[in-house]
Amino acid sequence: MHKPTYETYKYINGPMHQALRHDSAHKHVAGTAEYIDDIPEPAGLLHGALSLADRAHAEIVSIDLSAVKAHPGVVCVLTGADVPGVNDISSGGHHDEPLLATDEVQFHGQPVFAVIATTRDAARRAARLARIEYRDLPHWTDIDGAIENDAPLVTAGMTLERGTPEAELDNAENRLIGEMRIGGQEHFYLEGHVALAIPGEDDEVQVWSSTQHPSEIQHVVGHVLAIPSNAVTVHVRRMGGGFGGKETQGNLFAALAALAAKKVGRAVKFRPDRDEDMTMTGKRHDFRMDFDVAFNGDGRIHALVANFAARCGYSADLSGPVTDRALFHADSSYFYPHVRLTSQPLKTHSVSNTAFRGFGGPQGMLGGERIIEEIAYALGKDPLEVRKANFYGTPGSGRDVTPYHQKVEDNIIARIVDELERSCDYQARRKAIIDFNAESPVIRKGIALTPVKFGISFTLTAFNQAGALVHVYQDGSIHLNHGGTEMGQGLYTKVAQVLADAFQVDIDRIKITATTTGKVPNTSATAASSGSDLNGMAAYDAARQIKERLVAFAVEHYQVPADEVEFLPNRVRVGNREIPFPDFVKKAYFARVQLSAAGFYKTPKIHWDRAAGRGTPFYYFAYGAACSEVSIDTLTGEYVMERTDILHDVGKSLNPAIDIGQIEGGFVQGMGWLTTEELWWDDKGRLRTHAPSTYKIPLASDRPKIFNTRLAEWSENAEPTIGRSKAVGEPPFMLAISVLEALSMAVASVADYKVCPRLDTPATPERVLMAVERLKAGG
Ligand code: MTE
Ligand code: HPA
Ligand code: MOS
């Protein structure tokens, strides 16, 4: 028996709102956190490799696999014809993504066949030996090409509208027409895609997949193998980052591993290398926004018409909801009295683009902020002043309705921006920067303060549900499982805190267990920042059920009223006696109390009618603001992040340490998107930036030299979310818009701030230099 320590505890260790470290932090740094490629390999394990198309769009005339099959170590070769079920791994029922291409390839890098061999090296070498004959078809890989070629849409676009924007534009006091190009982004998770499948008896198969969406892996494996979902069990303990890149993109590797494993009756692993992963898997959508805006002399927007065209790649994947979310965030934090927003999810012969932190929201919001910036330069005002003139008003002000007709009821953006403006000394620093620039011939500085408002909920209402499974064992230890996945964001820690709080036990009583489709079924992707909102509530619901049974037991066993039973730190008070939690649980077991429960939660209030463009798609909004200062070298275009101050709203934080990590990480990732991360495809449709040698994510040295992050500690979610917290995963990504706009101001200084520099993104040093030269030459 372990020594009871409960008496010494007044409080429990690890309840909600405590700044606990991530449960795996020490294992991440020591290398003992187990990722799929670390799992001890089963006897007889085989390895898979893929052969990728080297054409952007072509008919497959013939495939000669004889040299592949003859290569030493090769056990079998799989083509689309080997699929017993459907040769399709698309998500969302689009049926437009073959597992392996059969008659036609639609992007440079599309998987054509797979080789299964005794070693990874043999599989990779053999995959290169095929002779594939193609007949080229016309291709276009970018947005301009798609528009020139009248490309089809991969899925229907959406329209959000109110009022009579065209008529208002025609009668405008001031009117501006413009365009902005917004770049894509590679996820660059540290752990790449990987899947391991072990065949079982009859139709069964177990799959370990680095995925944000185990249930979808289960469905896709079932469809490909023509077996029911109950034959497929998917496990994931953790990912080494997902960032949206593992919401659907793991389907390919998991389905191939399962297909091969069932075919040869041995365990099979697929782990592409970094170049293949970057070539084969989808990225953030790049966009072109075209806008036409009317505004008054104060910079207040009166009417806006904007179109968001996106490079979706060859299939739909998540492009529908991604381009929808771009429109949902094109308002940023601003009220548009008359508005029409349209999306154009364009088909291109490039890898199918997918979810990435913010899910189209960042692209939409960046478009909205560019419009503000354009207005500010046109009127000779500080962009912050124009922002304030356009903020949503308080409820009932008549300026509180979004283009999708949801009322903004929890608006705190004005307070957040005011507090940050004061705490970072924005006004004085901006003045000092303007003075500095006037005297500095080469180095120029810029500063910008930008807001964030981000809608929380999956826009497909059905996805806003979650389950949890909680067992209390006889020794008082607790087993926690839920449908959310851990990708480094700290979800497992937060949900364990919820449970520790509910049972009033120390967190080390709780065993966090790997997500598996066998314990909690029909889960949604861990995405849309909703992981802790949904799974935290589901775990809380499971705890509630067990506690209710425990209370009923105590009432009967000890003959006390229910309000005399109280869960105190690591013990239970029953009348005037206090019983250690494990002893209490043991007594309940002997009284045959069920000590296990399945919890469930669905988000209330939300509904969305996409065809009408009306509803309440979001349960609430998360807010934040950032102020960034940069300096640029006007002779080279190089720049330095001097300082960033952030004030961000996470409601009542479930875990301030983890939340600040999410905010800083999200900001830096957003900064990379807007500055150095450039994707580049050549005219053959080949991605040339497929490795860190050519694709530049931010380094530790690129972070702002001064970096202050604070939580809006006064904020509480107005809705009854778990602990009154708010989602944190994606919203901070968009705080990085302040960096782009600070760069823009530094560039604008070379033309006395009279011309909007119109920096497209990523604003690489080359782009900054070209903008400087353009402005020096007169715009
Ligand atoms: N943080 C880390 N460390 N790694 C990740 O992969 N993904 C982000 C965000 N933060 C991610 C991350 C994305 S895209 C989302 S949607 C959320 O985490 C998902 O987790 P949550 O819903 O539990 O916040
Ligand atoms: N966000 C993230 N992932 C999603 C969404 C969303 O709104 N909808 C479907 N997958
Ligand atoms: Mo996050 S893009 O919703 O996985």
Side-chain angles (χ1 to χ4, degrees):
M1 274 295 286
H2 73 101
K3 227 170 94 207
T5 49
Y6 54 89
E7 293 144 334
T8 57
Y9 285 149
K10 239 180 148 173
Y11 305 102
I12 60 165
N13 173 32
M16 288 201 286
H17 315 303
Q18 199 181 61
L20 223 62
R21 68 163 168 76
H22 190 290
D23 64 274
S24 298
H26 59 298
K27 295 187 273 187
H28 292 154
V29 293
T32 52
E34 193 178 74
Y35 296 89
I36 289 167
D37 208 34
D38 300 323
I39 296 173
E41 295 185 341
L45 175 73
L46 298 175
H47 299 265
L50 279 158
S51 168
L52 309 181
D54 58 2
R55 305 300 166 95
H57 189 200
E59 206 180 300
I60 299 176
V61 178
S62 65
I63 307 181
D64 176 359
L65 294 171
S66 46
V68 182
K69 290 177 176 160
H71 190 273
V74 170
V75 175
C76 78
V77 179
L78 300 170
T79 67
D82 295 301
V83 174
V86 284
N87 181 20
D88 180 61
I89 54 165
S90 65
S91 89
H94 290 280
H95 303 295
D96 58 357
E97 247 181 75
L99 173 66
L100 295 165
T102 49
D103 321 318
E104 189 188 355
V105 294
Q106 297 199 75
F107 76 94
H108 202 295
Q110 184 171 357
V112 179
F113 66 88
V115 183
I116 311 301
T118 48
T119 66
R120 197 164 162 265
D121 187 58
R124 287 164 59 91
R125 285 177 193 278
R128 295 192 197 120
L129 301 177
R131 297 240 299 266
I132 306 179
E133 202 187 323
Y134 292 106
R135 182 157 45 241
D136 282 321
L137 297 167
H139 75 264
W140 56 85
T141 51
D142 60 11
I143 293 169
D144 289 348
I147 290 171
E148 272 161 34
N149 285 284
D150 234 340
L153 302 179
V154 290
T155 185
M158 184 171 80
T159 300
L160 301 180
E161 60 190 328
R162 177 176 54 233
T164 50
E166 272 84 5
E168 304 299 325
L169 284 164
D170 288 339
N171 300 321
E173 189 181 335
N174 301 288
R175 183 174 181 176
L176 259 170
I177 294 174
E179 152 198 308
M180 180 182 195
R181 286 160 192 276
I182 299 166
Q185 188 177 22
E186 158 63 33
H187 300 86
F188 225 105
Y189 22 63
L190 288 184
E191 178 210 32
H193 279 282
V194 54
L196 166 69
I198 302 183
E201 59 187 64
D202 303 326
D203 54 1
E204 292 166 20
V205 62
Q206 307 237 22
V207 182
W208 282 258
S209 165
S210 186
T211 177
Q212 291 170 241
H213 202 345
S215 286
E216 179 155 281
I217 298 286
Q218 178 189 29
H219 297 154
V220 165
V221 166
H223 291 150
V224 165
L225 291 178
I227 55 176
S229 287
N230 65 10
V232 186
T233 310
V234 180
H235 309 273
V236 51
R237 171 59 183 83
R238 61 170 66 78
M239 286 159 272
F243 305 112
K246 293 173 180 171
E247 186 167 335
T248 59
Q249 305 291 296
N251 294 359
L252 171 68
F253 309 101
L256 283 170
L259 173 64
K262 287 310 274 185
K263 193 173 161 92
V264 299
R266 288 163 72 173
V268 176
K269 180 151 75 178
F270 268 84
R271 176 170 64 78
D273 76 2
R274 181 65 63 176
D275 302 71
E276 291 164 343
D277 188 307
M278 288 178 77
T279 301
M280 266 191 270
T281 65
K283 309 175 193 315
R284 181 185 295 283
H285 295 65
D286 50 319
F287 275 73
R288 187 179 102 191
M289 170 191 64
D290 289 277
F291 69 90
D292 188 344
V293 64
F295 52 99
N296 72 10
D298 297 330
R300 191 172 262 203
I301 292 170
H302 183 60
L304 173 68
V305 172
N307 181 61
F308 286 81
R311 165 167 26 198
C312 297
Y314 83 103
S315 70
D317 186 75
L318 297 166
S319 294
V322 165
T323 50
D324 288 0
R325 195 173 269 275
L327 297 196
F328 286 125
H329 289 84
D331 63 343
S332 191
S333 299
Y334 313 118
F335 175 63
Y336 300 149
H338 297 269
V339 59
R340 172 171 306 104
L341 303 169
T342 47
S343 63
Q344 223 181 334
L346 293 165
K347 171 160 178 152
T348 51
H349 299 104
S350 53
V351 67
S352 193
N353 282 330
T354 195
F356 195 144
R357 206 169 194 167
F359 204 75
Q363 295 95 314
M365 197 178 290
L366 184 59
E369 293 301 341
R370 169 53 51 84
I371 292 165
I372 295 284
E373 202 192 2
E374 291 259 16
I375 294 171
Y377 282 98
L379 297 174
K381 288 182 181 296
D382 176 353
L384 182 56
E385 206 184 311
V386 178
R387 298 202 150 94
K388 289 179 178 174
N390 285 287
F391 281 155
Y392 280 109
T394 47
S397 61
R399 294 179 53 84
D400 61 341
V401 189
T402 63
Y404 42 97
H405 304 271
Q406 170 164 357
K407 282 214 160 100
V408 184
E409 288 172 335
D410 58 6
N411 187 1
I412 53 169
I413 195 60
R415 178 168 177 190
I416 295 260
V417 165
D418 268 11
E419 283 193 17
L420 181 66
E421 182 181 349
R422 270 184 280 118
S423 69
C424 78
D425 207 13
Y426 172 82
Q427 295 297 348
R429 284 168 60 208
R430 182 173 147 92
K431 241 167 133 229
I433 285 170
I434 291 170
D435 292 347
F436 170 89
N437 287 345
E439 302 290 318
S440 178
V442 175
I443 303 297
R444 293 295 172 90
K445 292 186 177 180
I447 188 169
L449 196 163
T450 58
V452 166
K453 161 180 145 288
F454 194 76
I456 302 300
S457 295
F458 285 96
T459 54
L460 200 151
T461 304
F463 290 173
N464 297 286
Q465 58 171 307
L469 181 66
V470 173
H471 307 317
V472 179
Y473 293 105
Q474 287 179 57
D475 63 353
S477 67
I478 298 170
H479 172 111
L480 167 61
N481 195 268
H482 54 78
T485 58
E486 175 64 43
M487 56 195 101
Q489 85 279 37
L491 174 66
Y492 279 11
T493 307
K494 287 182 174 178
V495 180
Q497 286 177 271
V498 169
L499 214 53
D501 207 283
F503 283 112
Q504 285 291 297
V505 297
D506 291 333
I507 197 154
D508 55 16
R509 255 192 208 294
I510 294 162
K511 174 66 82 186
I512 293 171
T513 63
T515 312
T516 165
T517 54
K519 286 184 190 167
V520 176
N522 308 322
T523 54
S524 298
T526 307
S529 306
S530 65
S532 50
D533 281 10
L534 298 176
N535 296 286
M537 273 298 198
Y540 181 81
D541 180 53
R544 178 192 55 79
Q545 295 173 48
I546 296 171
K547 281 168 65 185
E548 279 175 10
R549 291 186 210 127
L550 286 171
V551 170
F553 152 74
V555 166
E556 193 187 315
H557 187 82
Y558 296 99
Q559 294 292 306
V560 293
D563 61 4
E564 284 293 303
V565 185
E566 196 183 356
F567 288 81
L568 295 176
N570 295 303
R571 60 201 193 275
V572 182
R573 182 177 72 81
V574 182
N576 53 14
R577 81 184 88 193
E578 289 188 1
I579 309 166
F581 185 78
D583 300 356
F584 181 70
V585 162
K586 186 127 210 155
K587 289 201 162 69
Y589 162 76
F590 276 105
R592 296 187 291 176
V593 174
Q594 186 192 2
L595 294 172
S596 169
F600 186 75
Y601 176 73
K602 58 181 181 205
T603 311
K605 285 190 173 178
I606 48 177
H607 59 93
W608 174 239
D609 181 346
R610 187 177 189 266
R614 277 179 176 269
T616 304
F618 303 123
Y619 188 34
Y620 63 87
F621 296 96
Y623 297 87
C627 176
S628 292
E629 178 180 335
V630 304
S631 54
I632 68 168
D633 181 328
T634 54
L635 298 180
T636 65
E638 287 167 285
Y639 42 73
V640 175
M641 307 301 150
E642 301 288 354
R643 171 170 168 183
T644 293
D645 294 79
I646 291 171
L647 181 60
H648 195 79
D649 158 39
V650 295
K652 199 163 179 316
S653 174
L654 283 179
N655 182 323
I658 285 174
D659 285 352
I660 285 176
Q662 284 291 294
I663 294 164
E664 292 179 344
F667 171 84
V668 170
Q669 195 171 41
M671 199 181 83
W673 168 52
L674 293 172
T675 57
T676 59
E677 296 185 40
E678 186 166 34
L679 291 164
W680 203 79
W681 284 266
D682 67 16
D683 57 0
K684 293 193 163 61
R686 193 160 35 150
L687 177 67
R688 303 309 296 263
T689 48
H690 53 73
S693 52
T694 46
Y695 187 80
K696 298 297 175 191
I697 63 169
L699 305 176
S701 55
D702 292 323
R703 79 197 277 279
K705 288 194 222 160
I706 302 170
F707 196 4
N708 301 315
T709 302
R710 276 194 309 125
L711 303 177
E713 272 159 15
W714 42 265
S715 176
E716 276 197 8
N717 200 329
E719 298 297 336
T721 50
I722 190 73
R724 298 273 174 183
S725 65
K726 287 191 180 184
V728 70
E730 295 167 290
F733 183 90
M734 285 147 277
L735 297 167
I737 294 172
S738 60
V739 170
L740 180 72
E741 213 178 287
L743 286 170
S744 182
M745 177 185 169
V747 171
S749 73
V750 306
D752 205 22
Y753 314 99
K754 292 205 160 58
V755 184
C756 179
R758 300 190 170 155
L759 279 174
D760 286 337
T761 72
T764 56
E766 293 88 334
R767 278 225 172 85
V768 167
L769 181 60
M770 289 189 289
V772 165
E773 309 258 292
R774 177 160 43 79
L775 263 62
K776 278 183 177 166

